[in-house]
Amino acid sequence: MAPAAMPTTDNATDSGLWQAGWYRFAKALRSPNFGPRPASAQTDLIVLHSISLPPGEYGGNAVQQLFTNQLDWDAHPYFQGIRGLEVSSHFYVRRNGELWQFVSCDDRAWHAGVSSWRGRGNCNDDSIGIELEGLEGEHFEAPQYETLASLCAAIAQHYAIAHIAGHEHIAPGRKQDPGSGFDWRLLREHLGWNPRMFPEQVAQR
Ligand SMILES: [Zn+2]
């Protein structure tokens, strides 16, 4: 039984895990790169990505800097090619499983670009984006799968998630992340979700 003095929130649907779309177990670092979701949006999709800056180099802070418009474009030759890019994701999972959050899941982050899935375009409108520190085609670390699985489960407790897909699935030909090194079967086993929630390409893999 709940104690009588338990504080209440404005939003009665917020569990202890969530506060206005912010996940309790993530390090919060607010990005300016977001906007409101369309009023009609039903957030039912999780999109998985991979990212590292420069590509293949792990452990630095360039991704957090990129998502907060703080990246020094002159610090590395690779950054010249993405100069001025304004993007974000809701979450970022480091190689050691450390979890960061940049945008409230109640808001629209800028991770998917031109995209389409389950018959709907503009996937940023109604998806939650999760970046994994990594490189397309390379493997991911066990702590990343553990963090990812617990995060996805927590998201699904709070949002009516019906689909999960990679950037490569919602923007085929244009994007390849998280790539062939990502173990969809392992994530599926961790989550125990219906295979029909996953892309056909990976549901049987
Ligand atoms: Zn991506």
Side-chain angles (χ1 to χ4, degrees), residues 25-44:
F25 296 117
K27 293 171 185 274
L29 179 64
R30 286 171 189 270
S31 170
N33 304 328
F34 72 95
R37 295 188 187 276
S40 61
Q42 303 279 342
T43 301
D44 66 351

PDB file of all heavy atoms in Angstrom, residues 25-44:
ATOM      1  N   PHE A  25      17.539   6.720 -14.810  1.00  0.00           N
ATOM      2  CA  PHE A  25      18.860   6.108 -14.735  1.00  0.00           C
ATOM      3  C   PHE A  25      19.804   6.546 -15.855  1.00  0.00           C
ATOM      4  O   PHE A  25      20.809   5.891 -16.116  1.00  0.00           O
ATOM      5  CB  PHE A  25      18.728   4.584 -14.695  1.00  0.00           C
ATOM      6  CG  PHE A  25      18.025   4.107 -13.455  1.00  0.00           C
ATOM      7  CD1 PHE A  25      16.820   3.441 -13.534  1.00  0.00           C
ATOM      8  CD2 PHE A  25      18.575   4.357 -12.210  1.00  0.00           C
ATOM      9  CE1 PHE A  25      16.167   3.012 -12.373  1.00  0.00           C
ATOM     10  CE2 PHE A  25      17.934   3.943 -11.052  1.00  0.00           C
ATOM     11  CZ  PHE A  25      16.727   3.266 -11.137  1.00  0.00           C
ATOM     12  N   ALA A  26      19.480   7.627 -16.527  1.00  0.00           N
ATOM     13  CA  ALA A  26      20.372   8.179 -17.550  1.00  0.00           C
ATOM     14  C   ALA A  26      20.992   9.473 -17.030  1.00  0.00           C
ATOM     15  O   ALA A  26      20.381  10.201 -16.238  1.00  0.00           O
ATOM     16  CB  ALA A  26      19.593   8.452 -18.833  1.00  0.00           C
ATOM     17  N   LYS A  27      22.205   9.758 -17.476  1.00  0.00           N
ATOM     18  CA  LYS A  27      22.820  11.054 -17.206  1.00  0.00           C
ATOM     19  C   LYS A  27      22.180  12.052 -18.155  1.00  0.00           C
ATOM     20  O   LYS A  27      22.261  11.895 -19.367  1.00  0.00           O
ATOM     21  CB  LYS A  27      24.327  10.997 -17.483  1.00  0.00           C
ATOM     22  CG  LYS A  27      25.114  10.120 -16.550  1.00  0.00           C
ATOM     23  CD  LYS A  27      26.549  10.000 -17.088  1.00  0.00           C
ATOM     24  CE  LYS A  27      27.375   9.028 -16.263  1.00  0.00           C
ATOM     25  NZ  LYS A  27      27.990   9.653 -15.084  1.00  0.00           N
ATOM     26  N   ALA A  28      21.560  13.068 -17.615  1.00  0.00           N
ATOM     27  CA  ALA A  28      20.847  14.034 -18.449  1.00  0.00           C
ATOM     28  C   ALA A  28      21.783  15.147 -18.913  1.00  0.00           C
ATOM     29  O   ALA A  28      22.510  15.742 -18.113  1.00  0.00           O
ATOM     30  CB  ALA A  28      19.675  14.629 -17.675  1.00  0.00           C
ATOM     31  N   LEU A  29      21.797  15.386 -20.231  1.00  0.00           N
ATOM     32  CA  LEU A  29      22.544  16.498 -20.815  1.00  0.00           C
ATOM     33  C   LEU A  29      21.654  17.064 -21.911  1.00  0.00           C
ATOM     34  O   LEU A  29      21.488  16.451 -22.960  1.00  0.00           O
ATOM     35  CB  LEU A  29      23.876  15.994 -21.399  1.00  0.00           C
ATOM     36  CG  LEU A  29      24.756  17.036 -22.072  1.00  0.00           C
ATOM     37  CD1 LEU A  29      25.237  18.092 -21.082  1.00  0.00           C
ATOM     38  CD2 LEU A  29      25.952  16.362 -22.752  1.00  0.00           C
ATOM     39  N   ARG A  30      21.056  18.212 -21.652  1.00  0.00           N
ATOM     40  CA  ARG A  30      20.023  18.713 -22.544  1.00  0.00           C
ATOM     41  C   ARG A  30      20.586  19.219 -23.869  1.00  0.00           C
ATOM     42  O   ARG A  30      21.530  20.003 -23.888  1.00  0.00           O
ATOM     43  CB  ARG A  30      19.235  19.833 -21.861  1.00  0.00           C
ATOM     44  CG  ARG A  30      18.291  19.311 -20.809  1.00  0.00           C
ATOM     45  CD  ARG A  30      17.673  20.429 -19.990  1.00  0.00           C
ATOM     46  NE  ARG A  30      16.945  19.880 -18.847  1.00  0.00           N
ATOM     47  CZ  ARG A  30      15.662  19.542 -18.882  1.00  0.00           C
ATOM     48  NH1 ARG A  30      14.964  19.743 -19.989  1.00  0.00           N
ATOM     49  NH2 ARG A  30      15.075  19.024 -17.842  1.00  0.00           N
ATOM     50  N   SER A  31      19.990  18.745 -24.956  1.00  0.00           N
ATOM     51  CA  SER A  31      20.323  19.221 -26.295  1.00  0.00           C
ATOM     52  C   SER A  31      19.337  20.302 -26.697  1.00  0.00           C
ATOM     53  O   SER A  31      18.145  20.197 -26.392  1.00  0.00           O
ATOM     54  CB  SER A  31      20.241  18.061 -27.292  1.00  0.00           C
ATOM     55  OG  SER A  31      20.326  18.560 -28.616  1.00  0.00           O
ATOM     56  N   PRO A  32      19.819  21.332 -27.416  1.00  0.00           N
ATOM     57  CA  PRO A  32      18.865  22.315 -27.958  1.00  0.00           C
ATOM     58  C   PRO A  32      18.189  21.808 -29.232  1.00  0.00           C
ATOM     59  O   PRO A  32      17.277  22.462 -29.741  1.00  0.00           O
ATOM     60  CB  PRO A  32      19.762  23.527 -28.255  1.00  0.00           C
ATOM     61  CG  PRO A  32      21.113  22.951 -28.513  1.00  0.00           C
ATOM     62  CD  PRO A  32      21.228  21.682 -27.697  1.00  0.00           C
ATOM     63  N   ASN A  33      18.635  20.642 -29.738  1.00  0.00           N
ATOM     64  CA  ASN A  33      18.139  20.153 -31.025  1.00  0.00           C
ATOM     65  C   ASN A  33      16.928  19.237 -30.837  1.00  0.00           C
ATOM     66  O   ASN A  33      17.028  18.011 -30.848  1.00  0.00           O
ATOM     67  CB  ASN A  33      19.249  19.402 -31.760  1.00  0.00           C
ATOM     68  CG  ASN A  33      20.482  20.256 -31.942  1.00  0.00           C
ATOM     69  OD1 ASN A  33      20.377  21.472 -32.077  1.00  0.00           O
ATOM     70  ND2 ASN A  33      21.650  19.644 -31.938  1.00  0.00           N
ATOM     71  N   PHE A  34      15.778  19.852 -30.653  1.00  0.00           N
ATOM     72  CA  PHE A  34      14.540  19.082 -30.515  1.00  0.00           C
ATOM     73  C   PHE A  34      13.366  20.022 -30.775  1.00  0.00           C
ATOM     74  O   PHE A  34      13.542  21.230 -30.919  1.00  0.00           O
ATOM     75  CB  PHE A  34      14.432  18.460 -29.115  1.00  0.00           C
ATOM     76  CG  PHE A  34      14.133  19.458 -28.021  1.00  0.00           C
ATOM     77  CD1 PHE A  34      12.822  19.679 -27.596  1.00  0.00           C
ATOM     78  CD2 PHE A  34      15.146  20.187 -27.437  1.00  0.00           C
ATOM     79  CE1 PHE A  34      12.534  20.604 -26.597  1.00  0.00           C
ATOM     80  CE2 PHE A  34      14.873  21.124 -26.439  1.00  0.00           C
ATOM     81  CZ  PHE A  34      13.561  21.327 -26.021  1.00  0.00           C
ATOM     82  N   GLY A  35      12.197  19.441 -30.836  1.00  0.00           N
ATOM     83  CA  GLY A  35      10.977  20.230 -30.987  1.00  0.00           C
ATOM     84  C   GLY A  35       9.817  19.415 -30.458  1.00  0.00           C
ATOM     85  O   GLY A  35       9.994  18.285 -30.006  1.00  0.00           O
ATOM     86  N   PRO A  36       8.623  19.997 -30.523  1.00  0.00           N
ATOM     87  CA  PRO A  36       7.459  19.240 -30.066  1.00  0.00           C
ATOM     88  C   PRO A  36       7.105  18.123 -31.041  1.00  0.00           C
ATOM     89  O   PRO A  36       7.367  18.241 -32.238  1.00  0.00           O
ATOM     90  CB  PRO A  36       6.350  20.298 -30.031  1.00  0.00           C
ATOM     91  CG  PRO A  36       6.770  21.310 -31.040  1.00  0.00           C
ATOM     92  CD  PRO A  36       8.282  21.328 -31.028  1.00  0.00           C
ATOM     93  N   ARG A  37       6.531  17.063 -30.529  1.00  0.00           N
ATOM     94  CA  ARG A  37       5.978  16.052 -31.426  1.00  0.00           C
ATOM     95  C   ARG A  37       4.651  16.578 -31.964  1.00  0.00           C
ATOM     96  O   ARG A  37       3.983  17.384 -31.291  1.00  0.00           O
ATOM     97  CB  ARG A  37       5.737  14.743 -30.672  1.00  0.00           C
ATOM     98  CG  ARG A  37       7.004  14.067 -30.165  1.00  0.00           C
ATOM     99  CD  ARG A  37       6.669  12.696 -29.604  1.00  0.00           C
ATOM    100  NE  ARG A  37       7.795  12.031 -28.950  1.00  0.00           N
ATOM    101  CZ  ARG A  37       8.718  11.317 -29.573  1.00  0.00           C
ATOM    102  NH1 ARG A  37       8.681  11.195 -30.882  1.00  0.00           N
ATOM    103  NH2 ARG A  37       9.695  10.717 -28.907  1.00  0.00           N
ATOM    104  N   PRO A  38       4.247  16.147 -33.164  1.00  0.00           N
ATOM    105  CA  PRO A  38       2.914  16.534 -33.645  1.00  0.00           C
ATOM    106  C   PRO A  38       1.857  16.091 -32.633  1.00  0.00           C
ATOM    107  O   PRO A  38       2.017  15.048 -31.983  1.00  0.00           O
ATOM    108  CB  PRO A  38       2.768  15.755 -34.954  1.00  0.00           C
ATOM    109  CG  PRO A  38       4.163  15.418 -35.373  1.00  0.00           C
ATOM    110  CD  PRO A  38       4.961  15.283 -34.106  1.00  0.00           C
ATOM    111  N   ALA A  39       0.814  16.851 -32.502  1.00  0.00           N
ATOM    112  CA  ALA A  39      -0.204  16.559 -31.487  1.00  0.00           C
ATOM    113  C   ALA A  39      -0.789  15.166 -31.663  1.00  0.00           C
ATOM    114  O   ALA A  39      -1.170  14.513 -30.690  1.00  0.00           O
ATOM    115  CB  ALA A  39      -1.315  17.608 -31.564  1.00  0.00           C
ATOM    116  N   SER A  40      -0.837  14.697 -32.904  1.00  0.00           N
ATOM    117  CA  SER A  40      -1.457  13.398 -33.182  1.00  0.00           C
ATOM    118  C   SER A  40      -0.488  12.232 -33.038  1.00  0.00           C
ATOM    119  O   SER A  40      -0.874  11.078 -33.209  1.00  0.00           O
ATOM    120  CB  SER A  40      -2.005  13.400 -34.612  1.00  0.00           C
ATOM    121  OG  SER A  40      -0.930  13.610 -35.525  1.00  0.00           O
ATOM    122  N   ALA A  41       0.787  12.528 -32.745  1.00  0.00           N
ATOM    123  CA  ALA A  41       1.805  11.467 -32.758  1.00  0.00           C
ATOM    124  C   ALA A  41       1.572  10.450 -31.644  1.00  0.00           C
ATOM    125  O   ALA A  41       1.307  10.814 -30.502  1.00  0.00           O
ATOM    126  CB  ALA A  41       3.191  12.086 -32.611  1.00  0.00           C
ATOM    127  N   GLN A  42       1.660   9.187 -32.003  1.00  0.00           N
ATOM    128  CA  GLN A  42       1.646   8.086 -31.036  1.00  0.00           C
ATOM    129  C   GLN A  42       3.047   7.494 -31.029  1.00  0.00           C
ATOM    130  O   GLN A  42       3.442   6.855 -31.990  1.00  0.00           O
ATOM    131  CB  GLN A  42       0.644   7.006 -31.473  1.00  0.00           C
ATOM    132  CG  GLN A  42      -0.772   7.500 -31.654  1.00  0.00           C
ATOM    133  CD  GLN A  42      -1.525   7.606 -30.332  1.00  0.00           C
ATOM    134  OE1 GLN A  42      -1.112   7.005 -29.339  1.00  0.00           O
ATOM    135  NE2 GLN A  42      -2.601   8.369 -30.317  1.00  0.00           N
ATOM    136  N   THR A  43       3.788   7.721 -29.970  1.00  0.00           N
ATOM    137  CA  THR A  43       5.174   7.258 -29.925  1.00  0.00           C
ATOM    138  C   THR A  43       5.194   5.746 -29.713  1.00  0.00           C
ATOM    139  O   THR A  43       5.008   5.272 -28.597  1.00  0.00           O
ATOM    140  CB  THR A  43       5.933   7.987 -28.803  1.00  0.00           C
ATOM    141  OG1 THR A  43       5.884   9.395 -29.059  1.00  0.00           O
ATOM    142  CG2 THR A  43       7.377   7.543 -28.746  1.00  0.00           C
ATOM    143  N   ASP A  44       5.411   5.015 -30.809  1.00  0.00           N
ATOM    144  CA  ASP A  44       5.313   3.548 -30.729  1.00  0.00           C
ATOM    145  C   ASP A  44       6.518   2.834 -31.335  1.00  0.00           C
ATOM    146  O   ASP A  44       6.501   1.624 -31.515  1.00  0.00           O
ATOM    147  CB  ASP A  44       4.030   3.066 -31.416  1.00  0.00           C
ATOM    148  CG  ASP A  44       4.046   3.309 -32.918  1.00  0.00           C
ATOM    149  OD1 ASP A  44       4.963   3.992 -33.413  1.00  0.00           O
ATOM    150  OD2 ASP A  44       3.134   2.814 -33.611  1.00  0.00           O
TER     151      ASP A  44
END
